Amino acid sequence: MVKQSELNGAYYGPSIPPTQSYHSHGRGSSGCGICCFPCCILKLIFQIIFFTLIVLGLIALVVWLILRPINLLKVHIEDVSLTQFNVTDNNMLHYNLGVSINLRNPNKKIGVYYDQIEARAFYDGQRFDSVTLTPFYQGHKNTTILKPVFKGQRLLPNVQGEYNKDRAAGKFDIEVKLYLKMRFKAGVVKTTKFKPKVMCEFEVPLGSDSNPGVGFTAEKCEFGYRF
């Protein structure tokens, strides 16, 4: 006798095992888990540093716009003494040059610290001497006269042609530059150091010391920046 199959002969095949659910721990979750706690600390530190740099940059920009150091000071050559200036056949320059530089701080509320002052003298684009001046503080609406003196001899190649031309004209074209390290003070606030240079170009006759002011006109100097 043939057995009647259960469930009216319907066949459903092998049983399907139950589906197992998997949960990923830490993946896709927001915030910092235990495993990435050091990463969160580093991220926070970088954010603080970045924010601090932005704030300091904005403060520096505001101070810069308020003080405007290039436009603040007034500088001009007041007088020049040139008692020796000759070039020998071996391109040796012998010189004795004194310069009076008028340095004016016209501001009513801002003082200036001159932490370093170096004066350099140039002829035909070549430096022939430099002197270091004493640092000082300049108060509000104050004028200071700087008097660098350049005296000695220096080998200057290829200046004989320019020297002959200036000697024939009766005046020598000389340039004096001031290389500064300076800070501004407004109340109790002091800025960081600026490094401007002041460029003063003038023409002066030889022997001008015997007749001060004769043959020389006061020349305004220009500010620039060095890096």
Side-chain angles (χ1 to χ4, degrees):
M1 180 178 179
V2 180
K3 284 187 176 183
Q4 185 179 2
S5 62
E6 298 179 0
L7 301 178
N8 300 323
Y11 178 72
Y12 292 90
S15 61
I16 300 175
T19 304
Q20 297 181 1
S21 60
Y22 296 91
H23 299 280
S24 176
H25 299 283
R27 293 186 179 181
S29 60
S30 60
C32 294
I34 297 178
C35 295
C36 64
F37 180 74
C39 299
C40 292
I41 294 297
L42 288 176
K43 181 178 180 181
L44 179 62
I45 292 174
F46 283 129
Q47 289 176 341
I48 293 174
I49 294 175
F50 182 72
F51 178 76
T52 303
L53 290 176
I54 291 178
V55 172
L56 292 176
L58 291 175
I59 293 174
L61 178 62
V62 170
V63 172
W64 176 264
L65 292 175
I66 293 175
L67 298 182
R68 299 189 303 274
I70 287 184
N71 300 322
L72 177 64
L73 303 176
K74 308 298 181 183
V75 187
H76 69 268
I77 298 291
E78 192 170 80
D79 199 8
V80 177
S81 166
L82 186 65
T83 57
Q84 184 181 19
F85 204 78
N86 64 286
V87 177
T88 60
D89 293 336
N90 59 351
N91 292 321
M92 186 69 70
L93 173 66
H94 300 262
Y95 54 89
N96 190 347
L97 169 68
V99 184
S100 295
I101 303 175
N102 186 304
L103 187 58
R104 173 72 176 167
N105 175 16
N107 199 279
K108 297 180 181 180
K109 298 181 179 180
I110 298 175
V112 187
Y113 287 94
Y114 295 91
D115 297 314
Q116 182 176 315
I117 311 169
E118 182 185 2
R120 301 178 184 178
F122 296 80
Y123 181 66
D124 195 26
Q126 300 184 60
R127 185 176 71 178
F128 60 86
D129 203 354
S130 64
V131 295
T132 301
L133 305 178
T134 304
F136 66 95
Y137 171 76
Q138 187 178 46
H140 314 151
K141 296 185 71 65
N142 191 273
T143 300
T144 304
I145 305 297
L146 305 179
K147 294 188 175 183
V149 175
F150 309 95
K151 183 177 181 180
Q153 59 184 27
R154 181 66 176 261
L155 180 65
L156 287 187
N158 305 317
V159 298
Q160 190 70 56
E162 185 70 17
Y163 173 78
N164 292 338
K165 183 177 67 175
D166 286 350
R167 185 176 61 177
K171 292 184 178 182
F172 295 96
D173 189 355
I174 299 174
E175 186 176 18
V176 171
K177 297 180 181 179
L178 298 179
Y179 289 77
L180 307 173
K181 287 184 180 179
M182 54 194 295
R183 294 170 293 155
F184 292 87
K185 179 183 178 183
V188 296
V189 178
K190 298 178 183 178
T191 67
T192 57
K193 288 184 180 181
F194 297 97
K195 294 182 180 181
K197 65 179 177 180
V198 182
M199 297 160 285
C200 309
E201 187 174 2
F202 51 88
E203 292 183 337
V204 57
L206 184 62
S208 55
D209 184 56
S210 57
N211 298 294
V214 177
F216 177 79
T217 303
E219 296 285 348
K220 183 179 179 181
C221 304
E222 297 181 355
F223 269 91
Y225 267 86
R226 58 194 177 97
F227 301 94

